[in-house]
Amino acid sequence: MALAINIRADNSSATEIERLWDQVAAFEVEPSMRALGYRPHFTFAIYDSPSISEQTAWDAMLTAVTGEAQLRIEFRQIRWFEGSPLVLWADPASNGALTRIHSAISAAIDPAHCRPHYRPGAWTPHCTLGTRIADERHDDAIAFARSYDGRIEVLFDVVDCVAFPPVRIISERRLPS
């Protein structure tokens, strides 16, 4: 069981990302994001190590968001992480708060305990749209990402600590508006 600390969109603005989930699901072996039973989000860190407790992770998140308000994030592009399977994600417009929060979490918990892709210097802020792109749909999925010509704005208003799989919210807090 892994622990993750996230910021999620727990409001009606999340519908736009969820619509993209449904479009991307057409390229997947089976839809991945709706299956989570969890709202659109950014993950700041994932810990597999039993030395990082739920309380330690949650305390790091609370410290990291001290003085932070809800984040209104704009997305104008869809990008991808290569691999098998290919992963599509919504690329946030530059947002200093995401970087600040990630840096504060990394300062509170030694990044050596964190999965490598979430460590400083490796972390890419992203809102995942699909994680199970079928290999035979790879080119179609990239063509979809390249052709995306939208602009959406989503309010990320809740921080949390979750255990997964399956996703189970351990602690959560709504950020001030």
Side-chain angles (χ1 to χ4, degrees):
M1 179 98 24
L3 291 176
I5 43 183
N6 313 296
I7 186 167
R8 73 176 194 264
D10 204 15
N11 59 76
S12 62
S13 74
T15 305
E16 295 301 318
I17 291 288
E18 293 168 342
R19 280 192 192 119
L20 287 173
W21 285 356
D22 295 338
Q23 290 176 289
V24 169
F27 305 109
E28 294 186 288
V29 174
E30 57 185 71
S32 59
M33 297 311 292
R34 293 254 187 219
L36 287 178
Y38 186 70
R39 302 301 301 269
H41 62 281
F42 288 94
T43 298
F44 294 107
I46 298 177
Y47 304 102
D48 294 304
S49 169
S51 62
I52 303 302
S53 69
E54 294 173 359
Q55 191 62 53
T56 298
W58 182 234
D59 288 346
M61 176 54 105
L62 291 178
T63 299
V65 297
T66 299
E68 297 286 351
Q70 298 174 0
L71 304 181
R72 189 165 299 282
I73 306 286
E74 183 179 33
F75 300 93
R76 291 188 213 140
Q77 293 183 313
I78 296 176
R79 297 192 185 264
W80 57 90
F81 295 125
E82 280 293 349
S84 183
L86 181 77
V87 173
L88 292 186
W89 48 279
D91 186 11
S94 181
N95 187 294
L98 290 172
T99 303
R100 260 193 325 274
I101 293 167
H102 181 263
S103 295
I105 291 165
S106 296
I109 299 174
D110 182 350
H113 294 288
C114 188
R115 286 189 183 172
H117 285 67
Y118 293 89
R119 294 178 184 167
W123 180 69
T124 299
H126 65 281
C127 187
T128 304
L129 302 175
T131 62
R132 297 182 190 146
I133 306 301
D135 288 342
E136 63 273 9
R137 300 297 312 271
H138 177 278
D139 294 344
D140 296 331
I142 289 178
F144 169 79
R146 285 186 172 137
S147 70
Y148 179 75
D149 190 25
R151 180 188 165 281
I152 60 175
E153 200 172 81
V154 180
L155 182 67
F156 290 83
D157 56 346
V158 175
V159 292
D160 64 23
C161 178
V162 303
F164 71 96
V167 175
R168 177 179 54 86
I169 298 171
I170 296 164
S171 301
E172 65 183 353
R173 178 175 292 170
R174 185 164 302 281
L175 293 171
S177 50

